[in-house]
Amino acid sequence: MAIKSIHILNVMVFQRQWRKNNGDCKDDEWKEGDSFSEAFHLDFCDGINVLIGENGVGKTTILKMIYAATQWSFEKTNPGKTKRLLDFFSSQLKDSGALKNGSHEKEYCYYKVSDGTHVFEDSLTLNGILHFDDWLGLNILSVFIPTTEMLSHAKGFLAMNQKYNMPFDGTQVDIIVNASLPETREIPDSCKMILDEISDAIDGTVILEEDTFYVLKKDGRKIDFSLEAEGLRKLGLLWKLIRNGLLEKGSVLLWDEPEANLNPELYPLVAIYRAKRTADGDCRQLSCVVFWYIQIRRQGYA
């Protein structure tokens, strides 16, 4: 996987009880004055990584931190994509102070993402990026799928977002940008079968016409994306991202709550896709879907 670890210190969302027993923290470097119980460290493996935890412990924040770091690995980005780091967490933040741990506001606060060789560090204390020079130019392709389904709101969205302060964070903006990209001319063989399986599940393919997404059914009907069942919209988005060439070898997929609004009978399809992609070496992914597939297999549904 392109991302090997993340280290976080004094960020508000991470509850002390979730990290105080994390032995991995003991192996990291510590600055003078750091509080041991207020740091959190994760190492990632190649392939699928699973984040499991109670509400409010910071799973989504970890994904957003990784996504923010990968987006800043490009020297040039799509003009429509998010550039301001804070916007990945919320469009309403004026400075990084809101992300700090309230009980340690005056202490050093940061998150640090590493690929094993290079480091991206966003200092929330100094309101700036550290260790950035060797990170820029790595061009780590990544996609973040947020919990909120966004393609139904695509018509006029990007133009409005450029002009007004829309109440959507950077991950929600970027997923519309990614889905709106043109399709690739060639499809890798390993992706063709997956696209066919997802197409069977949604009974069609996803198209973009005049700034609006539709599901083009196999019988020729064109269904507005907003009229599809929410679980099928999730699969439709996955189909479009694959078809646009965004989930290929070396890319990172960060999928927040992939099981939400998805019929349990479709869990195996998503899990098999992710397992096959990893086995084929076409994609390195970070998500929670394997956990849910294991759960339904234990219950005898797959």
Side-chain angles (χ1 to χ4, degrees), residues 7-251:
H7 185 81
I8 303 161
L9 181 69
N10 289 328
V11 174
M12 176 187 67
V13 72
F14 297 94
Q15 298 176 356
R16 172 174 292 192
Q17 61 266 31
W18 193 47
R19 58 180 182 244
K20 66 182 180 181
N21 295 320
N22 184 4
D24 289 343
C25 292
K26 301 175 184 177
D27 298 328
D28 214 335
E29 297 179 1
W30 297 97
K31 298 179 178 64
E32 184 177 353
D34 283 356
S35 173
F36 170 76
S37 62
E38 293 305 324
F40 181 74
H41 180 90
L42 278 178
D43 291 315
F44 302 114
C45 65
D46 289 339
I48 297 173
N49 290 261
V50 183
L51 303 183
I52 304 171
E54 300 174 356
N55 289 338
V57 297
K59 302 184 298 298
T60 297
T61 300
I62 289 176
L63 297 184
K64 287 185 175 182
M65 287 174 171
I66 295 172
Y67 182 66
T70 58
Q71 291 302 294
W72 274 75
S73 69
F74 289 85
E75 293 186 4
K76 295 182 179 180
T77 60
N78 187 307
K81 280 201 164 188
T82 303
K83 296 181 180 179
R84 184 170 172 264
L85 278 171
L86 284 176
D87 287 345
F88 289 114
F89 302 94
S90 172
S91 63
Q92 307 303 313
L93 297 181
K94 295 182 180 180
D95 59 61
S96 59
L99 293 175
K100 298 178 183 178
N101 188 325
S103 60
H104 296 274
E105 285 187 352
K106 296 182 180 181
E107 295 183 14
Y108 193 57
C109 175
Y110 67 89
Y111 64 92
K112 182 167 57 177
V113 178
S114 173
D115 68 348
T117 304
H118 311 89
V119 173
F120 172 91
E121 181 176 336
D122 182 13
S123 171
L124 304 180
T125 303
L126 303 176
N127 283 311
I129 305 171
L130 307 178
H131 305 296
F132 182 60
D133 292 341
D134 64 344
W135 187 263
L136 188 65
L138 293 179
N139 299 334
I140 303 171
L141 182 63
S142 66
V143 174
F144 186 107
I145 300 181
T147 55
T148 305
E149 191 279 300
M150 294 299 297
L151 299 197
S152 298
H153 312 289
K155 188 173 181 62
F157 179 93
L158 296 178
M160 291 282 287
N161 188 65
Q162 289 287 328
K163 188 174 182 179
Y164 302 102
N165 183 24
M166 303 279 280
F168 296 92
D169 69 43
T171 66
Q172 296 167 319
V173 174
D174 284 4
I175 196 63
I176 295 180
V177 174
N178 286 328
S180 301
L181 293 174
E183 296 179 351
T184 57
R185 292 183 179 181
E186 298 182 0
I187 306 172
D189 291 338
S190 58
C191 290
K192 291 179 181 178
M193 185 187 73
I194 299 299
L195 288 172
D196 288 342
E197 291 181 353
I198 298 176
S199 180
D200 288 340
I202 64 176
D203 189 33
T205 59
V206 179
I207 60 174
L208 176 63
E209 291 184 356
E210 297 181 355
D211 216 19
T212 301
F213 286 93
Y214 299 91
V215 177
L216 182 60
K217 296 295 185 178
K218 293 183 177 181
D219 62 6
R221 291 177 299 131
K222 191 169 65 175
I223 307 298
D224 190 290
F225 206 74
S226 64
L227 298 179
E228 275 288 9
E230 199 157 353
L232 296 183
R233 279 182 264 166
K234 177 167 288 188
L235 291 179
L237 169 61
L238 182 61
W239 186 94
K240 198 70 174 72
L241 295 173
I242 297 172
R243 188 62 187 83
N244 290 359
L246 296 173
L247 300 180
E248 296 184 353
K249 185 175 182 179
S251 61

